[in-house]
Each structure stands twice: as structure tokens, then as C-alpha cells.
Amino acid sequence: IEEYIGTGGYASFPALREGARLSIPTMVHESNAVPGLTTRMVEKYMDRIMVSFEDSRSSYHDPNKVVVTGTPVRGDFFTLTRAQAREKLGLTDERPLVASFWGSLGARFMNEHMLDFFRLEARDGMPFHHIHAAGKGSWDTMRQTLEAEQLTKTPGLDVREYIYDMADVMRAADLVICRAGASTVSELTALAVPAVIVPSPYVTNNHQEKNARILEKHGGARVILEKDATGEALYRAAGEILRSPELRRSMSAGMAELGIPDATERIYRTVMALRK
């Protein structure tokens, strides 16, 4: 074995600790804004710590060990231009696109608020296109409510169980409403898409809010805590952003400041440099 590389999960701790004991080059990649428990435990043994944000450097005892690589994003997120993605999705007018999702299993509480969001959109004549993923846990109930209220007939509102073509949808989106998991954050910043973020309060060490606050600090996101994230609050925030081209450009620039589309290449270079 020439080096050990961990990604911050509990399972990586024994291998990283043993690699350091054997004087084999060891490194860890921490995709969240602040180090998790495992990264904290192995930090002093690591030769390199790879992180997603420059802002994260100060969270470590030895900043000289830290390399800002970003977190890799699938290549298909960059295959199409925004215009090509909109065409592929069949968006033929100039209305902006909102994409929203709360995770693969959904979030029942937040999806209840999204129903209010849909009602407000329909009331106002759908000022923007909207693609929403309800997730497995909420899909049946949400579909029944949409059908009962005839919201399924609302032009421009596309509610699904899952968004299987996520790369195309996010590439076409003018605004994303979502949580702040590390993968989602890396996609938002790499694509420079403005976001309204409701960080999950149910994760260890509240790391989603810490991820979201970095995006907010750089002007790329509006953060609404779950306790305040009513359908009306989300709709109002989305409307304010989408009605202002200047604000959208500013938020996109803020995301772009943090985006690292070549994260995979940076990680590779960091590993190879340590091998030498």
C-alpha cells in the first residue's frame, strides 16, 4: 500500500490510524464545511487534509496540512449548457425554473410546506416553472392531495417522486430550494446556481447549517431555518430572487466564488504529490 485515503466516515478511522502508525502517507477528504468527529480524531496523524472551502482552513490546528480541493461533481452536470438543458426539459418560454427537493426519502414536514408553495404558485398563475421531487416517503400522500386539488393540471408545475435527470434539471435551474448536504452544496457551487437552503436540523453536529452559512456568507444562498420555512416564506424568498435579475447574477457570482469544477483533478494531484 502506497497511501491511505479516507473520506471522513467512521469506517475509515482504523485504516487511517494504522497507515499513519506504519509511516504510510495518509490523507483525509472532508466534504463538509467543518470537520466531523472522525476527521477530528485523525487530524493530527494526517499528512494532508483535503477540504471543500477555503473558509474551512481555520477549523484545523495545522492550516499548512490543508489543501482546498473541493468535492467531486459528476461529469454529466457539465455536459449541457443552461439553454440546452432547458430545451431538453421542454421549457419553451422565458419563465425561470425552480427545482426543489429534500433528499431521496423526502421530508414529510417540508413537503407539507411545499404543498402551500404550490398553492401560492397556482394562485399567482405560475410565475415560474417548478420541478419538485417529493421522495418515496411523501409521494403517495402528495400525489393524492395534488390530484384532489387539481394542482396536477397546473401548467408549469411538475411534481415527481424522484428527479432522475438531476444533472439536466439543476443545469437548467435558475433557483434551487434544498437541504445543504455536502454533495448538493458542491453541485450548487460548481454550477453557480442560486439557492434557498433549509438545512436539515437532524444531522450530526449541525453540519448542514454550517455548510449553508458559508454559501450565505459569500452571497450565493438565502438560508431559512426549518422552524421558519413555511410555504409562504419559501415562496416569498423565491419570488424576491427570481424577480430580480441583478440579485440572481449576484448570487450566482457568490456561488461561483466557491465552485471547484475540477475537484477530482485537484484530489488526484494532491495524492500524487504526496506519493512522491
Side-chain angles (χ1 to χ4, degrees):
I1 296 175
E2 295 190 46
E3 66 271 310
Y4 281 98
I5 306 169
T7 54
Y10 296 137
S12 67
F13 175 78
L16 291 172
R17 184 67 185 89
E18 182 65 7
R21 189 186 70 82
L22 296 172
S23 298
I24 296 172
T26 57
M27 59 201 87
V28 64
H29 182 277
E30 176 58 73
S31 56
N32 287 304
V34 295
L37 177 60
T38 300
T39 302
R40 283 282 187 214
M41 291 171 65
V42 301
E43 176 184 356
K44 65 182 179 180
Y45 306 112
M46 295 297 96
D47 294 293
R48 294 290 183 273
I49 299 167
M50 296 176 282
V51 300
S52 293
F53 308 105
E54 181 63 39
D55 302 59
S56 300
R57 192 182 294 277
S58 61
S59 297
Y60 297 89
H61 292 101
D62 185 355
N64 293 322
K65 285 185 179 181
V66 177
V67 181
V68 181
T69 62
T71 296
V73 174
R74 296 197 328 254
D76 58 345
F77 276 78
F78 309 105
T79 302
L80 302 178
T81 65
R82 176 180 174 275
Q84 289 169 334
R86 284 181 64 88
E87 182 179 359
K88 187 173 179 180
L89 294 173
L91 306 181
T92 57
D93 58 34
E94 295 303 313
R95 282 182 296 165
L97 170 65
V98 174
S100 56
F101 47 88
W102 304 115
S104 61
L105 295 179
R108 290 180 184 274
F109 180 69
M110 290 308 305
N111 275 316
E112 290 174 6
H113 290 318
M114 291 310 297
L115 284 167
D116 289 332
F117 191 109
F118 303 152
R119 295 177 183 117
L120 291 168
E121 287 178 309
R123 180 201 68 185
D124 292 344
M126 288 303 296
F128 28 76
H129 296 281
H130 190 171
I131 298 175
H132 177 72
K136 182 178 180 180
S138 299
W139 173 239
D140 288 338
T141 301
M142 179 170 276
R143 178 172 50 81
Q144 291 168 11
T145 302
L146 292 170
E147 290 175 353
E149 298 184 21
Q150 297 191 328
L151 288 169
T152 51
K153 298 180 180 179
T154 305
L157 178 59
D158 180 356
V159 182
R160 315 173 183 179
E161 182 175 3
Y162 296 111
I163 299 175
Y164 290 104
D165 53 345
M166 184 63 82
D168 297 335
V169 169
M170 286 189 68
R171 194 74 177 97
D174 297 278
L175 178 71
V176 174
I177 303 174
C178 59
R179 296 296 200 188
S183 294
T184 298
V185 165
S186 64
E187 291 159 3
L188 291 171
T189 55
L191 295 173
V193 183
V196 174
I197 296 180
V198 183
S200 173
Y202 312 112
V203 296
T204 304
N205 199 27
N206 197 30
H207 71 253
Q208 284 208 6
E209 184 177 348
K210 294 167 184 174
N211 290 346
R213 293 300 182 190
I214 286 185
L215 305 190
E216 181 183 56
K217 174 184 172 183
H218 286 261
R222 182 85 55 89
V223 177
I224 302 177
L225 298 182
E226 185 168 287
K227 64 184 180 63
D228 303 317
T230 63
E232 183 177 355
L234 292 170
Y235 184 67
R236 185 169 58 249
E240 288 173 2
I241 294 166
L242 293 174
R243 282 194 299 270
S244 172
E246 183 178 346
L247 179 56
R248 279 160 56 187
R249 284 193 294 270
S250 173
M251 292 182 73
S252 179
M255 285 294 196
E257 284 180 9
L258 296 167
I260 303 180
D262 63 338
T264 302
E265 176 66 22
R266 292 191 185 202
I267 291 171
Y268 173 77
R269 290 200 303 266
T270 301
V271 171
M272 296 307 292
L274 193 59
R275 176 178 290 188
K276 295 175 184 177

